[in-house]
């Protein structure tokens, strides 16, 4: 399973940070709900406490799975968000813990997040740990358009192992067009420093208050389509997201949330 470290640390930000159910993975300007460990400013939209558990399986391989728990708690001054994610299995695994603070200033939102990253090196060396950050902002430039920006690992943190393993530094810029009260169109460009730009786009359609349909595509040198649905019953919500990588296979993500 030597593919695990290669997929993770030498990949994109998405290989360390768990995925989201946003269409096309275009989460920078998404305002529906906060996507844990993506743009931290989006947590400012929460008006009540939100809890969620998420499971993501990459390429129908149990060893390439993310297991995450997350919460957002509003306060009179700012919203507090927290998340913990575990990737991998006993022989190789990574853990990412995050605590963030965000605030809505009326038409624009900012957020900062502290992240602790741990990677299992070997039975003798055990875990190596480093600390990094995630920052972001969203601006409603009009009732129909929201701009989003986020940057993961702006301090260029690295895992002090042998050899040194650099964490990815990723910048994302996105636009969310609310083209109808029931339809959003998301477009995003992001780039991990020294690699290709990734383009992302997708649509979210809410025909009913209890049902959401999502479709999108993202990629760099080839396209990866995404498809997902969301259901809500009272204070519970369930999100299902799927992707088809033409080279590696299918990724499936499910998230169960509860609003207090």
């Amino acid at each position: 399973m030597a593919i695990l470290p290669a997929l993770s640390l030498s990949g994109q930000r998405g290989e360390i940070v768990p995925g989201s159910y946003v269409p096309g993975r275009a989460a920078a300007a998404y305002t529906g709900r906060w996507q844990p460990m993506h743009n931290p400013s989006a947590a400012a939209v929460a008006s009540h406490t939100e809890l969620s558990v998420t499971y993501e399986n990459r390429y129908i391989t149990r060893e390439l799975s993310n297991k995450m728990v997350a919460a957002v708690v509003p306060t009179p001054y700012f919203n507090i968000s927290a998340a913990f994610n575990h990737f991998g299995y006993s022989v190789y695994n990574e853990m990412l813990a995050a605590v963030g603070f965000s605030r809505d200033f009326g038409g624009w939102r900012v957020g900062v997040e502290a992240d602790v990253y741990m990677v299992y090196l070997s039975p003798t060396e055990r875990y190596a740990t480093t600390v990094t950050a995630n920052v972001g902002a969203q601006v409603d430039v009009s009732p129909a358009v929201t701009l989003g920006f986020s940057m993961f690992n702006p301090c260029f943190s690295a895992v002090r192992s042998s050899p040194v393993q650099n964490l990815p530094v990723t910048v994302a810029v996105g636009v969310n067009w609310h083209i109808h009260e029931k339809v959003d169109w998301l477009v995003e460009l992001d780039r991990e420093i020294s690699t290709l730009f990734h383009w992302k786009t997708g649509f979210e359609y809410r025909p009913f208050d209890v049902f959401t349909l999502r479709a999108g595509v993202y990629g760099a040198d080839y396209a990866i389509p995404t498809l997902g649905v969301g259901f809500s019953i009272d204070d519970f919500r369930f999100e299902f997201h799927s992707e088809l990588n033409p080279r590696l296979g299918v990724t499936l993500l499910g998230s169960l949330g509860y609003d207090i």
Side-chain angles (χ1 to χ4, degrees):
M1 298 301 295
I3 189 174
L4 286 170
L7 276 172
S8 180
L9 284 168
S10 64
Q12 1 172 338
R13 169 180 181 257
E15 305 300 348
I16 290 178
V17 175
S20 74
Y21 55 79
V22 177
R25 289 197 177 189
Y30 185 71
T31 56
R33 287 183 183 269
W34 172 58
Q35 303 300 301
M37 298 179 183
H38 290 268
N39 190 337
S41 67
V45 303
S47 58
H48 46 259
T49 299
E50 301 176 2
L51 308 176
S52 66
V53 293
T54 301
Y55 178 80
E56 179 187 32
N57 181 278
R58 295 174 181 166
Y59 320 127
I60 317 299
T61 304
R62 179 173 58 85
E63 292 80 4
L64 297 177
S65 295
N66 282 297
K67 289 78 67 178
M68 180 173 60
V69 293
V72 181
V73 179
T75 75
Y77 304 103
F78 47 76
N79 285 7
I80 302 172
S81 55
F84 176 81
N85 183 74
H86 178 276
F87 169 81
Y89 67 123
S90 58
V91 176
Y92 179 85
N93 59 82
E94 305 173 15
M95 290 178 283
L96 188 62
V99 176
F101 301 90
S102 57
R103 182 169 180 177
D104 189 337
F105 291 92
W108 58 286
R109 298 165 290 281
V110 296
V112 295
E113 180 181 279
D115 299 88
V116 178
Y117 173 76
M118 299 178 63
V119 57
Y120 183 82
L121 298 176
S122 69
T124 55
E125 294 182 88
R126 301 296 291 175
Y127 286 93
T129 305
T130 190
V131 177
T132 186
N134 189 13
V135 298
Q138 292 182 336
V139 180
D140 301 327
V141 296
S142 76
V145 178
T146 298
L147 303 180
F149 165 84
S150 66
M151 184 174 187
F152 178 77
N153 192 25
C155 41
F156 292 81
S157 296
V159 176
R160 303 303 177 184
S161 60
S162 182
V164 172
Q165 302 178 40
N166 294 316
L167 292 186
V169 179
T170 304
V171 177
V173 178
V175 182
N176 186 349
W177 280 281
H178 314 289
I179 57 180
H180 186 273
E181 63 178 359
K182 296 181 180 294
V183 181
D184 288 348
W185 178 24
L186 297 140
V187 177
E188 179 177 318
L189 284 176
D190 71 30
R191 186 186 186 190
E192 180 191 333
I193 303 302
S194 77
T195 67
L196 295 173
F197 279 99
H198 291 81
W199 51 267
K200 305 176 179 182
T201 187
F203 291 89
E204 180 173 277
Y205 174 45
R206 301 172 295 277
F208 313 107
D209 292 340
V210 298
F211 178 73
T212 303
L213 179 64
R214 304 179 180 96
V217 62
Y218 71 95
D221 52 353
Y222 59 94
I224 300 174
T226 74
L227 186 65
V229 294
F231 302 92
S232 62
I233 302 175
D234 296 328
D235 294 326
F236 290 91
R237 64 186 187 280
F238 177 75
E239 312 290 349
F240 175 77
H241 175 88
S242 62
E243 304 179 3
L244 178 59
N245 186 310
R247 298 181 180 178
L248 298 175
V250 175
T251 291
L252 301 175
L253 180 150
S255 179
L256 176 64
Y258 179 67
D259 298 337
I260 298 177

